[in-house]
Amino acid sequence: PCFPLSLQRAALPGAKRTLNIMEPRYQQMYRDLLANGARRVVVPRYVQGPAGTYLAEAAVVFHLLDVKDAPPGSRTRYVCQHQVLPKVVKITRVLNPEAFEKKTTYLKVECQEIEDLDPDDDLSVEEEQLRDELLQLAMLGRATGSPPLRRYEYMSDSLGRCVLVDHGAMFPEGTINLANAQRGANGFWELANLWQGYCDRRAVALRQQHDRQLQRLRAEGRERERGALELREALEEELQEHWSRNADSMQVLLQMDRHSDRLALLLQLLQQEARRLRALKAVAQSTGLEAQA
């Protein structure tokens, strides 16, 4: 079974994800999963393009942990808890592609695990460099007031609504050096999940910052001016760009078949953010204004 999702926040190996199931075809899929005992579903990212729907070739596998009936008053039928398995797969064949458009049933696919082409390479130096960069980013973030490195997860509240839950600091600042970037869900992908949580919190900080700017305009009686409208439009554009850029980067990580390439890309993302924070800190110190999120 295959459950394509248009995820703003990529599902990465080792993470836990909650899905609210509404569509009848996916309600049936979960009933089938429970009936046959397999409890596994392939979850690729999909995007809508001018020529139709594009399905990512590299996908993660969700292992179903628990299924609950949605609470009364909810639009959903089931609330399902999953663990994302460590191995990424490559979809080699879609058995019933017409089902996605017709929505008569769920997709079924054939797939194979993506194996690393550099399993015997010693990448300890690169892994140490990535861990050190993560530590430097955490320290820089503390100094600039940017989001901490914490585990964030989208879950459902009592009405089935999607909420961002803060699970607290994954690595307390004194023990962040215990993290490692070795292959696997408890190594590299743990760091990638931390980075994605950072990006989640930054999106929240962006919205909060724009809300404060709008509140100032409202207090001055200027909320209906053109500048306020442009500010709202700029926020939505900035958020969409932020989500898209992060989701694209995580998808590239998933489809890579070399651990060295994954290390290099995540290191590049961390270094770019560190440069951004240093520049914002310098601007804030010179102007006395609030640093941008």
Side-chain angles (χ1 to χ4, degrees):
C2 178
F3 194 168
L5 292 173
S6 179
L7 294 172
Q8 285 185 324
R9 184 180 192 272
L12 301 178
K16 291 184 178 180
R17 296 302 291 263
T18 300
L19 296 180
N20 298 317
I21 309 303
M22 294 183 289
E23 290 189 48
R25 56 177 169 167
Y26 294 122
Q27 293 178 28
Q28 183 60 51
M29 183 185 76
Y30 277 91
R31 287 192 289 268
D32 292 346
L33 286 174
L34 293 173
N36 61 35
R39 288 182 172 259
R40 293 187 177 185
V41 56
V42 177
V43 182
R45 180 188 176 207
Y46 81 88
V47 295
Q48 296 287 352
T53 300
Y54 297 88
L55 199 65
E57 188 177 58
V60 293
V61 179
F62 279 23
H63 176 73
L64 180 61
L65 299 175
D66 188 38
V67 178
K68 295 181 180 178
D69 289 329
S74 172
R75 295 182 301 170
T76 64
R77 177 65 180 86
Y78 300 122
V79 178
C80 303
Q81 303 282 344
H82 308 82
Q83 179 80 43
V84 185
L85 296 182
K87 285 291 188 179
V88 181
V89 300
K90 176 182 178 181
I91 296 175
T92 57
R93 183 186 175 196
V94 179
L95 301 179
N96 55 341
E98 71 284 349
F100 190 76
E101 182 178 357
K102 294 180 180 179
K103 299 184 179 182
T104 54
T105 186
Y106 55 89
L107 286 177
K108 296 182 179 180
V109 300
E110 293 178 349
C111 57
Q112 62 185 29
E113 288 187 0
I114 297 178
E115 300 288 349
D116 277 357
L117 299 180
D118 58 351
D120 300 321
D121 290 1
D122 181 4
L123 299 169
S124 56
V125 173
E126 290 83 352
E127 291 167 351
E128 184 73 13
Q129 183 182 9
L130 179 62
R131 190 188 67 171
D132 289 346
E133 190 65 34
L134 186 70
L135 176 59
Q136 292 299 317
L137 182 61
M139 295 173 63
L140 182 60
R142 181 180 60 179
T144 58
S146 66
L149 288 168
R150 300 169 77 92
R151 179 191 289 278
Y152 294 94
E153 181 182 1
Y154 279 102
M155 302 182 71
S156 298
D157 64 10
S158 60
L159 296 180
R161 296 171 301 191
C162 190
V163 293
L164 184 65
V165 177
D166 181 356
H167 290 282
M170 171 54 63
F171 299 111
E173 292 179 4
T175 60
I176 194 171
N177 59 344
L178 297 178
N180 71 78
Q182 297 172 2
R183 304 170 200 268
N186 295 324
F188 174 84
W189 289 114
E190 188 71 74
L191 300 190
N193 273 301
L194 273 176
W195 165 250
Q196 187 163 230
Y198 175 94
C199 294
D200 287 342
R201 189 60 187 84
R202 187 183 165 214
V204 174
L206 280 170
R207 187 171 293 279
Q208 291 173 339
Q209 189 168 67
H210 279 262
D211 286 345
R212 289 193 296 272
Q213 292 171 344
L214 288 172
Q215 288 173 0
R216 286 195 289 269
L217 291 175
R218 190 176 296 114
E220 297 170 2
R222 299 164 52 199
E223 72 271 18
R224 296 185 181 278
E225 291 184 4
R226 183 177 178 179
L229 298 176
E230 291 177 347
L231 185 61
R232 293 190 185 94
E233 293 174 356
L235 165 63
E236 295 306 322
E237 183 177 342
E238 188 173 8
L239 282 175
Q240 287 304 316
E241 181 182 352
H242 173 77
W243 286 122
S244 178
R245 182 171 58 251
N246 184 56
D248 289 347
S249 298
M250 295 303 100
Q251 183 61 44
V252 172
L253 282 179
L254 288 171
Q255 67 192 37
M256 285 177 166
D257 55 10
R258 291 182 181 275
H259 185 49
S260 58
D261 291 341
R262 289 191 291 270
L263 291 169
L265 177 55
L266 187 53
L267 178 65
Q268 178 185 351
L269 295 174
L270 294 175
Q271 289 174 337
Q272 288 174 348
E273 176 63 9
R275 288 194 295 269
R276 188 187 72 86
L277 290 179
R278 292 189 184 99
L280 291 179
K281 180 181 178 181
V283 171
Q285 289 177 338
S286 63
T287 63
L289 300 176
E290 177 185 13
Q292 295 298 303

